[in-house]
Amino acid sequence: MEARLYMMGLNRTWKSLARRGQSGYRVRLSFSTRPPKNPFLHISEEIQEAVHSNKPVVALETTIYTHGFPYPQNTALASHLESVVRLNGGIPATIGVLNGTARVGLSPEEIIELTASAGKADTKKVSRRDLAYICGLGMTGIKFNGGTTIAGTMVLAHLAGIKLFATGGLGGVHRGAENSMDISADLTELGRTPIAVISSGCKSFLDIPRTLEYLETQGVGVGTFADGREGNVEFPAFWTRDSGISSPTVIRDETAAAAIIFAQSTLPLSSGLLFANPVPSQYSIPKAQMDIIMAQAILDADKSGSTGSDNTPFILARIRELTQGQTVMVNRALVEANVIRGTRVACELSMLEDRAAEDSHG
């Protein structure tokens, strides 16, 4: 029975109800109740044990390594971010596709193998739609590697029982989407997968007001960390703390974020949560400067004919050129800040769940 629930994506709810002792007893899943091996999905022993023991696990994506930073800088960044999670008391779960198999909790050797394949034709960008294609072809002997997008990472993290995911910038509604219908799968994934995502808002060149409207339609709770500010705050725009758009809600601190995740999973609700963490002040690029740079990059993308999945990489590369590499430094800083914040939230959530389980047992 547990195995069927797991494969239906309901294992997470079952475990939360069990831990809270709905029948008056505190229940912990034993190792014997783990689902049978899945030929398309490998979850490392460390991650299985951490989820089983309610340790603070933080999911990490890999598109940033396969389609963002070049080798070997991507390897160094991957190792650094995993170290950041551990130094802050968490367990990192780097997620990707290696030789046709989806993997949650890549080993150091697997991370090197995946990052070394960056830029190669058989290294794909993997969203939800691509998982069956890549894993299925693996059975036929066609072995792809892949960096998981936010959407792809959310799917696999949820299957592994992970509740929190820290990343850089969310995809969103592209400018002109009323004609192109170019809307990131990240948004629909947040509407149907109960994972809390911590990012620096969405990328600055997207249509932020429409992105927030779309997330509202999908039933996604959105909040921005106050980060020392009082009153209403603006939803961040990736490289800059300011977007000119008020955040739907304000999150005071990590304890508040953990309480919201706990309530979301206990109710339970099937949609995700987005917590926006503004880039550290010392790295934030002024909004007026970024607006000029983005307008030029978007114009250049239109002239080049870059559309669909090619649009975002083109614009990011052009912005990097126009800022003479400044955005690369900012990108690294904001990703690290999000991973730190995400790990702290995961630790708070773990403690909250343990206290709730003890209260129900007592």
Side-chain angles (χ1 to χ4, degrees), residues 224-229 241 251-252 277-281 341:
T224 300
F225 283 103
D227 203 35
R229 298 167 292 182
R241 294 171 68 89
I251 311 301
R252 184 180 67 254
N277 188 38
V279 61
S281 299
R341 178 85 75 177

Side-chain angles (χ1 to χ4, degrees), residues 97-117:
V97 176
L98 200 59
N99 299 315
T101 301
R103 295 181 176 270
V104 178
L106 291 171
S107 69
E109 293 77 17
E110 289 169 339
I111 287 175
I112 292 173
E113 184 177 351
L114 180 59
T115 54
S117 71

